[in-house]
Amino acid sequence: QVQLVESGGGLVQAGGSLRLSCAASGRTFSSYFMGWFRQAPGKVREFVAALKWSGGSTYYGDSVKGRFTISRDNAKNTVYLQMNSLKPEDTATYYCAADSNPTGNLYNANAYDYWGQGTQVTVSS
């Protein structure tokens, strides 16, 4: 029903920037929470950022506050994650996710109904 496709990952040096995109299709997202999560080898899936599609509040994990910014473009049905001041510890597969019924904990991956395939981000030192 809902399809999410991430893009924009790659290899970047520490201190550099990347912008990830999540193209969404299938239905309106006006009532959704949209989130970004990441998972590194041997680690659990970690909350990165989220927003309400309708606008207003944004949310960030402690490890990325002040460095990452989540936003969306309604005309393109696309969510972005601007990542600045990247660190080697940011290396992970980054996933876009959608919560169609935002009554749960937006920091919890289990609250999200739809997931993209992921895009790899590697930060070298």
Side-chain angles (χ1 to χ4, degrees):
Q1 303 289 76
V2 175
Q3 185 173 358
L4 306 174
V5 180
E6 302 97 334
S7 62
L11 175 64
V12 65
Q13 292 183 333
S17 298
L18 286 173
R19 188 179 73 162
L20 306 184
S21 299
C22 173
S25 62
R27 63 182 68 187
T28 181
F29 304 95
S30 61
S31 64
Y32 285 28
F33 275 94
M34 305 296 295
W36 286 96
F37 290 78
R38 66 187 184 186
Q39 189 165 21
K43 296 186 177 181
V44 300
R45 190 161 295 189
E46 178 188 21
F47 174 79
V48 176
L51 57 68
K52 297 178 182 179
W53 187 264
S54 60
S57 299
T58 57
Y59 308 85
Y60 296 95
D62 289 341
S63 63
V64 306
K65 287 180 179 177
R67 299 189 298 122
F68 291 10
T69 303
I70 187 171
S71 62
R72 91 274 193 255
D73 185 332
N74 289 340
K76 297 181 178 180
N77 282 340
T78 299
V79 180
Y80 302 99
L81 184 69
Q82 179 67 46
M83 306 185 296
N84 298 326
S85 302
L86 283 162
K87 305 174 181 179
E89 49 264 48
D90 294 318
T91 295
T93 301
Y94 283 71
Y95 298 91
C96 177
D99 182 359
S100 63
N101 185 22
T103 58
N105 183 355
L106 82 165
Y107 300 99
N108 188 344
N110 291 332
Y112 293 79
D113 305 295
Y114 304 101
W115 293 85
Q117 297 285 348
T119 185
Q120 179 66 37
V121 173
T122 302
V123 184
S124 66
S125 59

